[in-house]
Amino acid sequence: MASLLLPPASSLLSPSSAAAASYSSSRHRLIFPSIGNLRKSSHRRKFFLPAAAAVLDKSPVFDPSPGFQESHDVIAPLKLKLLNVVSGLNRGLAANEEDLRRAESAAKELEAVGGIVDLTKHQDKLQGQWKLIYSSAFSSRALGGSRPGPPTGRLLPITLGQVFQRIDILSKDFDNIVELQFGTPWPLPQLEATAILAHKFELIGTSKIKITFIKTTVKPRGSYSQLPPLEVPQLPDALRPPSNTGSGEFEVTYLDSDTRITRGDRGELRVFVIS
C-alpha cells in the first residue's frame, strides 16, 4: 500500500499566508524575547510589564490642597517671628516693657491666623511634655507670676531653672514641673531640686482648661539626689489664703503639633514648645 506523503506545511500556505506567518513569528520573538536574551540584557536595561506600570501610575501621592499649603506658608513665618522675639528673654525673666509689647504683638498675630482652638476635637494635641519658653508673668520676678509666690533673687536665694507642663489626656493629669536651685551657706554644695505640682484638669467649653491642685512633690537633684522625695501637704481650706484656692483656669489660644499659646485667668501670656 502506497504511503501518503504530505508536502511541508509551508508549501500548503499561499504566498501571502506564508508571509503573514513569517511576520507573526518575528513579531512574537520581538515581543516575547527568550529567557536567555533577557538574562543577557538585564545588565543593560530594565523591563517593566504593562500591568506593573499601570499599578505605579495609580499609586497614591500626597498632594496638599491649596488651602493647606497657604495656611502653612502664613503660619510658619509667624511662629518663627514669635520664637525670635521671646528667645534671649530667659523665659520672660529678662523682659522689659518693650519686650512684653513685642511678644504680645507677635502672639496675637499667630493667634489670629491660627483661628479659634477647639479642644473637644483636638484634645490629643495637648498630650505630652511641654517646655515653657516664655511667660509674661515672669517679668514681675516672682515664681507665681501675678499670683502670690516667692520672689526670685530677692528675699530667697532661688534660681529658676527649666519649667515644663506634663499633660496626660487619658488620666487627666496636669503637672507643672519646675527646676530650682537654692542658695546654701559655704561650704555646703548648692541644693538642686525639682518641684512637681500635680493637678487634675478638665475642659471648660471648647478652649478653656480648669486645673485643680492635688499636691506638691520636691525631688532633690545633684549632690542631694540620694535624699527621698518630699511631699508637701496641701493647706486646709480654712487656712488657705483667698488668693490661693488651689485651682485656676486658662485659655488655649493657639495649638498645633509643636507650639502652644495660653492666656491665664489673670492675663498671663505663656508660650510652650513640645519637648
Side-chain angles (χ1 to χ4, degrees):
M1 182 176 178
S3 61
L4 182 61
L5 298 177
L6 295 177
S10 58
S11 64
L12 297 178
L13 299 175
S14 64
S16 60
S17 298
S22 175
Y23 171 77
S24 176
S25 176
S26 300
R27 184 171 178 269
H28 182 274
R29 288 194 299 271
L30 288 173
I31 297 177
F32 302 100
S34 67
I35 298 298
N37 289 337
L38 277 174
R39 290 174 177 171
K40 291 178 182 178
S41 60
S42 62
H43 66 284
R44 295 191 303 269
R45 67 184 66 182
K46 296 180 179 179
F47 293 89
F48 295 93
L49 295 178
V55 172
L56 291 175
D57 290 341
K58 295 180 181 180
S59 299
V61 177
F62 176 70
D63 184 17
S65 63
F68 174 87
Q69 188 63 37
E70 180 181 355
S71 176
H72 179 270
D73 292 343
V74 173
I75 288 177
L78 292 179
K79 285 173 63 174
L80 182 60
K81 177 181 178 181
L82 175 60
L83 295 179
N84 285 336
V85 168
V86 301
S87 64
L89 298 180
N90 192 15
R91 290 147 296 163
L93 290 169
N96 56 32
E97 291 299 325
E98 178 61 24
D99 295 326
L100 293 175
R101 284 192 292 268
R102 293 176 62 227
E104 178 70 20
S105 176
K108 284 184 175 179
E109 289 184 75
L110 185 54
E111 290 167 338
V113 174
I116 299 175
V117 176
D118 189 350
L119 295 178
T120 61
K121 297 180 180 179
H122 305 290
Q123 187 178 171
D124 58 304
K125 291 184 178 180
L126 291 173
Q127 180 71 29
Q129 180 162 295
W130 297 82
K131 180 180 180 180
L132 177 69
I133 62 172
Y134 174 78
S135 172
S136 61
F138 283 170
S139 64
S140 65
R141 304 290 294 172
L143 294 181
S146 59
R147 295 179 173 83
T152 58
R154 289 183 182 175
L155 298 179
L156 296 176
I158 299 176
T159 301
L160 179 66
Q162 299 295 336
V163 179
F164 301 91
Q165 280 185 350
R166 184 171 57 207
I167 304 175
D168 189 325
I169 62 173
L170 297 180
S171 64
K172 302 300 181 182
D173 289 335
F174 191 104
D175 298 336
N176 287 321
I177 305 172
V178 184
E179 296 177 354
L180 300 170
Q181 294 179 347
F182 299 88
T184 53
W186 185 86
L188 296 177
Q190 188 176 51
L191 174 60
E192 298 178 346
T194 299
I196 303 175
L197 288 73
H199 300 76
K200 291 291 185 179
F201 83 91
E202 60 179 309
L203 295 183
I204 300 178
T206 58
S207 60
K208 284 189 176 182
I209 293 178
K210 178 181 179 180
I211 58 174
T212 302
F213 176 74
I214 303 298
K215 65 179 180 180
T216 298
T217 302
V218 179
K219 296 182 178 180
R221 298 185 297 114
S223 302
Y224 299 92
S225 60
Q226 301 301 321
L227 296 177
L230 173 63
E231 187 169 313
V232 181
Q234 183 177 0
L235 289 175
D237 293 341
L239 301 178
R240 192 179 305 161
S243 59
N244 185 10
T245 61
S247 65
E249 297 179 7
F250 62 88
E251 183 177 5
V252 180
T253 55
Y254 179 83
L255 178 65
D256 62 23
S257 60
D258 56 27
T259 305
R260 177 164 57 96
I261 300 176
T262 65
R263 301 277 181 172
D265 52 4
R266 302 185 185 182
E268 306 98 328
L269 167 65
R270 294 187 175 98
V271 181
F272 298 84
V273 295
I274 199 72
S275 64

